[in-house]
């Protein structure tokens, strides 16, 4: 959850800085190859969706696969930065992603942990049973490692993980996924009998900055990360050989081999083309030098396979238009459905006081589910991209609307409700002619609150591939690029302001004049 | 017209009405009077079916309330409360004509009735388009009165209709109300805690205390022969420290003193 918290904190900070906005340079994440005319057969077989996790190496590998397939004439699309292992693997199983880069150690230790797979042949067979295939390894091993600032390692005399036992005061900042992976912190701690209690979960990219700033003392590295050399951090030896091999390769759906065998052969041609030094260089070009992933991927393809991939940069306006539409779509559908459900629930809570605790309680409980968790819960039911994001936003939109509808109806003074009853109005007549009109200011305020909250929450949708203004924020956090973060945060803040203003107009149009006069007096 | 038979009503552990019997004849104007909390407003709500008695029954026009459609009963009653209870989102005209439109009166009939009522209550026609917040307290009560009279009900139920008005406005409205009562000659129950007002309006006075009726009769009769020490004290208290102002039906308050 710390990643989500971190994101939200950054978003909040960015909103404050909205007036200082400077739109960043052309973003790294929105460049794409221009496909050659794809052959008709390939188009008929539908596009190939490449997925990637939300760290730089995965995005580069996803981009390499995408560009390569496009150059071969396949209409390939890259859904980048979709989140963690579970999100990607379930998307692959559900067929929402056809291909994504993965690591053998992760499959063995995390995805299929309960099977205790030993050899790569066993691994392959187990995947095959699930309708999933793997390519041959790309040629590098990106294993986990623990690392520290060199000064502190030297001062404390720490060279091996075993040495950490003598220093229980050290502060550990670990990737969220590492914190509860089968091969992660719980088993590492058991293996080495580590005493540290001060362990926090952090976004991987933020953890490097935290380690450099001295806010944490030990973190988990991916051994091919560019930051290790860039910051000059010290890797401490895995003297009990806890971490296994994490050979990079692509996982793909078995049906891809049937519908596009040439595409799979093309992916296989990447086997053995990337060693550790090479991939670290690619990572550094993106993370340290700020080059777009697609340009780095295209350079690699040119050098390794003599493939010429064309890159086209998408202009700021086009990017903005796309993200605005994506964001508006998420918010409009979720809020619209929310209104349809929440207002009647609020009315029901008013009409049936015995149900009101239940209804308000449920709406409240939904609100307390951490947003990232809710998004991930939705994946097995609804897959990735917009549907699960909309479902989560829909549920989050309830509380302010249910509560304001209920309290707006309850706040109507007794003499008025009693007069309405004494006149001989039916209970429907009372509700429609008297109570709801009188509650409109409160109901509208509830809808407005929900709308603003939903616009903010929708930025998290990017974590599961729903796009929107969260996409540049996510990439900006990963690449430490404030321009890119602003490119998502500023429009999101402006959209929230716009919606507020729009609701003020609506309020003027539909709140009965007699009520507005009262508020003016 | 209205009969309350052996009514008990309590809220939580607080008993508000105890074993109460009361009959209101057709065309009679009955004033319910008593100290705050004696249960007089509760009686009106019981008649309207806004409250349901714990025991006993309310008979309206010969039939027990629980066997009648409450909406129909309420449409035969006009109810006016202290602060009007006007709907703030509707204009004066909107408030007055709401029920007529609801039950499907043709527009022409609604318009005619509205004109009749605004003349009867001496309410300026240009005020009809105003919202309640734009009206003075006295005007609001005139609108509430018109709303109560709109469907030409058989019964009028007034719960301290003048209680929140300042003396001058109150005086004017008292006169108009009495005139209207006499013109329409409807069965009326008026709740007040003001003795002068009670004497001014009522043919019949019912004095309540702690959920029971302590005395029932004509004003002078009660004044001369208080049923017990409480009634005597109640009259004494209303007379205040200016015994010169007291004295039967006339001059028990500055407003009453000015009439005739």
């Amino acid at each position: 959850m710390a990643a989500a918290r971190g994101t939200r904190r950054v978003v909040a900070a960015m909103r404050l800085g909205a007036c200082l906005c400077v739109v960043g340079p052309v973003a790294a994440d929105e460049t794409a190859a221009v496909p050659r005319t794809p052959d008709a057969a390939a188009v008929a077989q539908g596009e190939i969706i490449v997925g990637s996790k939300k760290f730089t190496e995965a995005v580069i590998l996803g981009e390499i696969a995408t560009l390569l397939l496009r150059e071969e004439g396949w209409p390939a699309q890259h859904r980048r930065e979709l989140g963690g292992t579970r999100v990607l693997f379930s998307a692959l199983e559900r067929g929402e992603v056809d291909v994504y880069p993965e690591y053998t150690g992760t499959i063995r230790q995390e995805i299929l942990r309960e099977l205790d797979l030993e050899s790569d042949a066993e691994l392959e067979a187990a995947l095959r049973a699930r309708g999933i295939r793997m390519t041959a390894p790309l040629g590098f091993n990106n294993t986990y490692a623990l690392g520290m600032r060199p000064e502190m390692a030297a001062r404390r005399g720490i060279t091996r993980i075993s040495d950490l036992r003598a220093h229980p005061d050290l502060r550990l900042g670990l990737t969220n996924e590492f914190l509860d992976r089968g091969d992660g912190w719980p088993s590492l701690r058991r293996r080495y009998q580590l005493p540290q209690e001060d362990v926090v979960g952090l976004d991987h990219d933020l953890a490097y900055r935290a380690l450099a700033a001295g806010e944490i003392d030990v973190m988990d590295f991916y051994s091919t990360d560019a930051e290790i050399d860039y910051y000059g951090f010290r890797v401490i030896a895995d003297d009990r050989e806890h971490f296994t091999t994490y050979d990079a390769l692509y996982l793909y759906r078995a049906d891809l081999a049937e519908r596009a065998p040439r595409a799979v052969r093309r992916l296989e041609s990447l086997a053995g083309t990337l060693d550790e030094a090479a991939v670290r260089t690619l990572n550094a070009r993106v993370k340290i030098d700020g080059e777009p992933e697609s340009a780095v991927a295209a350079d690699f393809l040119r050098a390794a396979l003599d493939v010429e991939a064309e890159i086209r940069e998408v202009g700021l306006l086009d990017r903005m238009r796309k993200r605005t539409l994506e964001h508006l779509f998420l918010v409009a559908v979720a809020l619209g459905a929310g209104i349809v459900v929440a207002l009647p629930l609020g009315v029901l809570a008013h009409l049936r006081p015995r149900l009101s605790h239940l209804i308000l309680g449920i709406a409240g409980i939904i609100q307390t589910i951490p947003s990232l968790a809710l998004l991930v819960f939705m994946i097995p039911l609804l897959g990735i991209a917009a549907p699960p994001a909309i479902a989560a936003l829909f549920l989050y939109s309830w509380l302010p609307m249910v509560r304001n509808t209920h309290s707006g109806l309850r706040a109507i003074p007794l003499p008025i409700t009693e007069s309405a009853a004494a006149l001989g109005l039916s209970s429907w007549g009372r509700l429609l002619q008297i109570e709801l009109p009188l509650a409109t200011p409160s109901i509208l305020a509830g809808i407005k609150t929900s709308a603003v909250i939903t616009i903010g929450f929708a930025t998290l949708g990017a974590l599961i591939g729903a796009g929107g203004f969260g996409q540049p924020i996510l990439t900006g956090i990963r690449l430490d690029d404030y321009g890119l973060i602003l490119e998502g945060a500023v429009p999101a803040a402006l959209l929230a302001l716009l919606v507020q203003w729009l609701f003020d107009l609506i309020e003027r149009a539909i709140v009965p004049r007699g009520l507005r006069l009262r508020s003016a007096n | 017209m209205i009969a309350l038979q052996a009514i008990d009503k309590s809220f939580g552990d607080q008993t508000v009405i105890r074993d109460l019997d009361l009959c209101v004849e057709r065309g009679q104007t009955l004033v319910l009077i008593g100290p705050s909390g004696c249960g007089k407003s509760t009686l009106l709500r019981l008649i309207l079916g806004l409250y349901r008695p714990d025991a006993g029954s309310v008979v309206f026009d010969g039939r027990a309330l629980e066997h009648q459609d409450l909406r129909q009963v309420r449409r035969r009653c006009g109810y006016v409360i202290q602060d009007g209870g006007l709907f703030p989102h509707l204009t004066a005209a909107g408030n007055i004509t709401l029920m007529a439109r609801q039950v499907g009166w043709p527009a022409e009939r609604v318009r005619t009735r509205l004109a009749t009522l605004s003349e009867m209550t001496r309410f300026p026609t240009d005020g009809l388009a105003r919202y309640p917040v734009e009206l003075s307290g006295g005007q609001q009560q005139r609108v509430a009165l018109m709303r109560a009279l709109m469907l030409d009900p058989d019964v009028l139920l007034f719960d301290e209709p003048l209680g929140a008005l300042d003396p001058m406005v109150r005086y004017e409205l008292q006169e108009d109300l009495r005139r209207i009562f006499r013109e329409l000659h409807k069965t009326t129950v008026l709740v007040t805690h003001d003795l002068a007002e009670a004497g001014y309006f009522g043919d019949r006075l019912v004095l309540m205390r702690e959920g029971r009726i302590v005395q029932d009769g004509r004003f002078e009769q009660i004044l001369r022969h208080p049923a017990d020490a409480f009634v005597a004290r109640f009259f004494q208290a209303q007379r205040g420290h200016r015994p010169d102002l007291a004295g039967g039906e006339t001059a028990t308050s500055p407003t009453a003193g000015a009439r005739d």
Side-chain angles (χ1 to χ4, degrees):
Chain A
M1 284 325 87
R5 231 181 290 135
T7 309
R8 242 177 279 144
R9 205 166 42 221
V10 173
V11 172
M14 290 306 110
R15 287 214 175 122
L16 288 176
C19 46
L20 305 170
C21 132
V22 178
V23 176
V26 171
D29 71 320
E30 299 284 349
T31 50
V34 178
R36 279 184 207 149
T37 321
D39 65 55
V43 174
Q45 281 153 341
E47 58 180 3
I48 298 174
I49 310 289
V50 179
S52 59
K53 299 187 198 177
K54 62 173 284 295
F55 58 93
T56 297
E57 183 172 291
V59 178
I60 295 172
L61 293 177
E63 198 63 19
I64 287 173
T66 311
L67 291 181
L68 183 62
L69 292 173
R70 278 191 196 151
E71 283 311 299
E72 293 300 312
W74 300 93
Q77 193 196 329
H78 186 191
R79 287 200 164 154
R80 47 173 65 221
E81 299 174 281
L82 281 183
T85 301
R86 283 160 215 268
V87 176
L88 265 300
F89 194 77
S90 65
L92 185 69
E93 282 189 308
R94 293 172 53 95
E96 287 165 321
V97 159
D98 295 307
V99 184
Y100 84 91
E102 189 49 280
Y103 302 88
T104 51
T106 302
I107 306 169
R108 199 172 269 127
Q109 301 289 334
E110 173 66 10
I111 301 174
L112 304 175
R113 175 182 8 171
E114 67 280 4
L115 300 182
D116 273 328
L117 303 166
E118 296 282 333
S119 69
D120 280 7
E122 277 179 25
L123 198 64
E124 183 142 23
L127 286 171
R128 198 174 278 269
R130 285 168 168 70
I132 288 165
R133 308 277 175 81
M134 58 192 234
T135 65
L138 299 178
F140 67 91
N141 169 20
N142 180 3
T143 188
Y144 276 110
L146 292 192
M148 305 177 67
R149 287 183 303 282
E151 319 81 73
M152 170 162 277
R155 197 167 65 240
R156 302 267 188 134
I158 297 169
T159 58
R160 306 169 307 163
I161 297 179
S162 301
D163 297 335
L164 291 177
R165 265 205 301 271
H167 303 274
D169 60 317
L170 290 178
R171 296 161 300 167
L172 271 59
L174 304 175
T175 313
N176 293 297
E177 189 170 316
F178 185 79
L179 267 180
D180 58 7
R181 274 173 69 116
D183 52 350
W185 172 243
S187 59
L188 180 76
R189 171 178 223 174
R190 266 197 309 280
R191 169 81 54 105
Y192 283 98
Q193 308 276 302
L194 297 178
Q196 284 78 13
E197 294 294 340
D198 190 357
V199 181
V200 294
L202 274 177
D203 180 82
H204 191 61
D205 300 295
L206 298 177
Y208 277 109
R209 282 165 239 166
L211 183 62
E215 287 169 34
I216 55 175
D217 303 316
V218 180
M219 69 174 280
D220 57 321
F221 293 159
Y222 308 156
S223 59
T224 56
D225 280 342
E227 291 91 336
I228 304 173
D229 288 344
Y230 176 72
Y231 287 108
F233 291 142
R234 171 82 39 86
V235 173
I236 55 180
D238 180 17
D239 51 320
R240 292 195 180 174
E241 292 178 351
H242 173 73
F243 297 120
T244 56
T245 311
Y246 293 76
D247 287 327
L249 43 70
Y250 291 102
L251 292 183
Y252 60 93
R253 293 175 57 80
D255 60 359
L256 186 68
E258 286 152 30
R259 62 179 224 255
R262 277 196 314 115
V264 171
R265 275 200 297 281
R266 208 64 187 103
L267 286 177
E268 290 284 4
S269 73
L270 288 166
T273 55
L274 261 174
D275 61 18
E276 267 130 58
V279 80
R280 202 172 288 138
T281 308
L282 298 186
N283 287 341
R285 284 179 58 186
V286 173
K287 289 223 69 171
I288 314 296
D289 306 335
E291 290 186 59
E293 287 95 346
S294 51
V296 171
D299 285 352
F300 164 76
L301 286 175
R302 191 178 304 118
L305 299 179
D306 200 20
V307 165
E308 202 59 43
E310 269 182 77
I311 306 291
R312 176 175 56 106
E313 291 194 334
V314 181
L316 179 67
L317 274 181
D318 285 338
R319 298 203 298 273
M320 285 293 190
R321 186 178 314 129
K322 176 166 174 283
R323 290 181 198 139
T324 307
L325 289 178
E326 285 168 345
H327 208 90
L328 279 177
F329 177 70
L330 295 178
V331 172
V333 176
L335 189 68
I339 290 171
V340 169
V341 172
L343 298 198
L345 278 179
V347 172
L348 186 67
H350 170 67
L351 295 179
R352 301 269 177 281
R354 268 184 224 160
L355 284 180
S356 71
H357 286 293
L358 185 71
I359 291 170
L360 292 173
I362 289 173
I365 287 168
I366 290 172
Q367 202 78 24
T368 63
I369 303 174
S371 44
L372 202 54
L374 190 59
L375 283 174
V376 173
F377 287 153
M378 293 292 166
I379 290 173
L381 303 170
L382 297 168
I384 56 167
I390 287 172
L393 293 173
F394 161 71
L395 291 174
Y396 276 130
S397 71
W398 286 12
L399 185 64
M401 296 195 283
V402 172
R403 186 167 282 173
N404 272 42
T405 303
H406 178 244
S407 65
L409 289 170
R410 261 175 48 130
I412 298 172
L414 185 68
I416 288 179
T417 52
E418 222 175 53
S419 293
L423 279 176
L425 277 171
S426 64
S427 39
W428 271 113
R430 290 198 308 257
L431 186 67
L432 295 177
Q433 310 234 14
I434 310 295
E435 295 174 342
L436 283 177
L438 290 179
T440 36
S442 173
I443 294 173
L444 273 178
I447 297 177
K448 185 156 75 175
T449 308
S450 281
V452 172
I453 290 175
T454 306
I455 289 167
F457 265 140
T459 55
L460 291 180
L463 285 170
I464 54 170
F469 296 133
Q471 191 69 58
I473 295 175
L474 203 60
T475 311
I477 291 170
R478 174 166 65 80
L479 298 177
D480 198 11
D481 180 339
Y482 280 80
L484 212 46
I485 294 174
L486 286 174
E487 212 179 293
V490 171
L494 288 178
L495 183 62
L497 286 176
L498 183 74
V499 164
Q500 291 231 38
W501 174 75
L502 201 69
F503 270 100
D504 290 342
L505 283 187
I506 294 174
E507 201 168 334
R508 211 165 300 167
I510 73 171
V511 169
R513 204 173 139 249
L515 297 183
R516 277 182 280 123
L517 289 170
R518 178 164 56 182
S519 58
N521 283 353
Chain B
M1 186 71 202
I2 301 163
L4 303 167
Q5 299 167 342
I7 301 279
D8 282 327
K9 179 69 189 172
S10 34
F11 297 100
D13 53 5
Q14 196 190 356
T15 306
V16 181
I17 305 287
R18 301 159 207 260
D19 192 26
L20 183 139
D21 290 283
L22 182 70
C23 257
V24 189
E25 304 301 327
R26 196 177 292 275
Q28 187 175 53
T29 300
L30 180 148
V31 178
L32 276 175
I33 190 165
S36 307
C38 69
K40 50 196 196 299
S41 297
T42 303
L43 273 193
L44 293 193
R45 294 191 172 99
L46 285 163
I47 295 170
L48 284 164
L50 293 172
Y51 296 157
R52 205 186 267 268
D54 299 333
S57 75
V58 179
V59 178
F60 185 90
D61 199 15
R63 283 165 65 211
L65 219 48
E66 61 262 35
H67 300 130
Q68 300 201 53
D69 180 352
L70 277 180
R71 279 175 300 171
Q72 296 307 328
V73 171
R74 288 168 184 172
R75 286 169 196 182
R76 294 176 62 194
C77 297
Y79 181 49
V80 179
I81 56 179
Q82 180 164 340
D83 71 350
L86 295 180
F87 307 129
H89 63 300
L90 299 176
T91 60
N95 267 279
I96 298 162
T97 61
L98 175 69
M99 278 316 292
R101 287 177 285 127
Q102 194 75 18
V103 299
W105 281 23
E108 187 49 43
R109 186 178 171 199
V110 172
R111 208 166 22 246
T112 318
R113 179 72 179 153
L114 187 58
T116 312
L117 287 175
S118 62
E119 197 181 332
M120 182 194 293
T121 57
R122 300 197 299 124
F123 185 83
T125 325
D126 59 353
L128 288 172
R130 299 228 173 95
Y131 286 93
V133 280
E134 301 171 298
L135 300 173
S136 70
Q139 285 174 324
Q140 286 185 23
Q141 288 310 88
R142 286 176 203 270
V143 172
L145 178 63
M146 283 190 271
R147 184 173 74 180
L149 292 171
M150 184 71 194
L151 296 184
D152 196 18
D154 302 319
V155 172
L156 292 177
L157 303 171
F158 285 62
D159 193 352
E160 310 239 15
L162 310 174
L165 302 176
D166 66 59
M168 283 306 291
V169 179
R170 185 176 175 146
Y171 170 59
E172 279 182 24
L173 209 54
Q174 272 176 341
E175 285 197 318
D176 287 337
L177 261 185
R178 190 160 80 159
R179 175 175 49 77
I180 291 166
F181 287 170
R182 289 187 174 164
E183 270 172 39
L184 299 177
H185 205 66
K186 291 187 186 297
T187 311
T188 304
V189 180
L190 182 130
V191 164
T192 181
H193 61 260
D194 183 283
L195 196 60
E197 198 167 279
Y200 183 64
F201 284 117
D203 317 333
R204 177 180 165 200
L205 230 64
V206 170
L207 207 128
M208 284 184 68
R209 181 197 183 194
E210 289 171 8
R212 289 199 180 87
I213 293 174
V214 282
Q215 198 163 6
D216 181 351
R218 297 189 58 79
F219 184 89
E220 306 82 355
Q221 183 192 343
I222 297 180
L223 184 63
R224 289 194 197 109
H225 309 288
D228 59 15
F230 164 74
V231 177
R233 260 204 329 279
F234 185 75
F235 273 57
Q236 180 60 43
Q238 292 263 345
R239 206 174 286 153
H241 300 290
R242 298 283 304 275
D244 54 307
L245 290 179
E249 193 181 353
T250 55
T252 47
S253 82
T255 59
R259 83 194 150 83
D260 291 343

